Amino acid sequence: MNIILLGPPGAGKGTQAKILINRFGIPQISTGDILRAAVKDATPLGLKVKECMDSGALVSDELVISIIKDRLSRSDCDNGFILDGFPRTVAQANALDTMLLVDSRGIDHVISIFVDNEELIARIVGRLTCKVCGQGYHAVYGPPAVPNTCDACSGELYQREDDREETMRTRLKAYQEQTSPLIDYYSERQLLRSVTGTGSIEEISSVLVSLLEGKS
Ligand code: AMP
């Protein structure tokens, strides 16, 4: 089961991907998480992309394509994968098709998660992340038990540089201009289904799972 979760930042792709991992036993591959880990560890890749990520712009196609090529070649992807945050441009989608074709693989499902822009901004701007383990919280919708402290590891929480309102608007613009053409790209290939990303996490995941299991 090779799945792409498509949707603007804050739509809940990462949250839903984590539920699908348990359900289908396949890994989540998030280019955002891979890039953030590189920035945190100050690797050559991290140093290269930090400024671009902090500004809310997309990093180069070439870089993310090579990350994905490497990641999809690992054996834990043999039975499938959930792509979260990739592809984000038509060039990335073309490159993905080509790399899968070489291994006689293909994409089985593309699910687009819709949420309107003002709701996305409210969600993202309240988002808090643990500095130590990366666990996510929300100041209003999912606060930690002790303010500014991670429930899981007691690490300090912070607001990601790219979760500030100004940057969020840049990220939404990047989504609109560079990523939303993928909706047509995958519709034309009869792969796209859409779900609304508003409602409880459980409501959304049950719709998603039904779609993926062919029950609706
Ligand atoms: P995310 O956590 O998926 O919202 O990604 C955070 C940031 O990482 C984005 O705003 C981009 O700067 C960068 N990024 C992640 N995935 C991609 C991608 N597929 N193409 C280009 N840039 C990406």
Side-chain angles (χ1 to χ4, degrees):
M1 201 178 252
N2 300 338
I3 303 167
I4 295 175
L5 295 183
L6 204 60
K13 301 185 297 295
T15 305
Q16 294 300 329
K18 288 192 174 61
I19 296 171
L20 300 180
I21 296 176
N22 293 330
R23 180 82 187 198
F24 298 113
I26 52 177
Q28 167 198 18
I29 301 172
S30 155
T31 37
D33 285 351
I34 295 170
L35 293 168
R36 266 186 297 281
V39 170
K40 186 168 172 239
D41 296 342
T43 65
L45 169 68
L47 297 173
K48 207 159 159 183
V49 298
K50 182 176 184 336
E51 206 176 310
C52 185
M53 286 179 76
D54 284 351
S55 76
L58 296 186
V59 309
S60 79
D61 286 335
E62 201 190 343
L63 262 176
V64 284
I65 289 167
S66 90
I67 291 172
I68 286 292
K69 200 167 184 178
D70 174 65
R71 185 63 190 83
L72 292 184
S73 68
R74 296 204 210 146
S75 60
D76 65 338
C77 296
D78 287 352
N79 293 326
F81 49 77
I82 305 154
L83 287 174
D84 151 19
F86 182 95
R88 257 175 153 104
T89 63
V90 170
Q92 292 176 22
N94 279 319
L96 177 65
D97 284 345
T98 307
M99 71 179 91
L100 291 175
L101 196 63
V102 168
D103 296 331
S104 308
R105 296 192 284 181
I107 293 297
D108 301 303
H109 304 277
V110 181
I111 310 273
S112 165
I113 307 180
F114 274 117
V115 178
D116 83 46
N117 278 5
E118 289 315 306
E119 160 94 22
L120 289 171
I121 288 171
R123 282 186 188 186
I124 290 270
V125 169
R127 202 149 84 164
L128 296 166
T129 307
C130 174
K131 272 188 184 167
V132 181
C133 71
Q135 174 72 38
Y137 295 89
H138 192 280
V140 180
Y141 309 126
V146 178
N148 269 325
T149 309
C150 178
D151 293 346
C153 76
S154 301
E156 192 187 340
L157 306 186
Y158 77 111
Q159 184 183 39
R160 271 168 45 185
E161 197 63 43
D162 63 346
D163 281 349
R164 295 175 201 281
E165 181 163 350
E166 203 41 36
T167 321
M168 181 57 187
R169 294 197 183 268
T170 309
R171 292 169 72 198
L172 287 175
K173 194 159 173 266
Y175 179 79
Q176 197 52 44
E177 292 175 0
Q178 293 167 274
T179 309
S180 67
L182 294 181
I183 295 189
D184 283 345
Y185 183 96
Y186 288 114
S187 298
E188 283 159 15
R189 287 160 180 75
Q190 328 268 307
L191 290 170
L192 187 95
R193 264 95 48 90
S194 301
V195 301
T196 165
T198 41
S200 74
I201 292 173
E202 294 74 23
E203 277 162 5
I204 299 163
S205 72
S206 92
V207 174
L208 249 168
V209 168
S210 300
L211 282 180
L212 293 170
E213 289 181 339
K215 292 183 191 148
S216 58

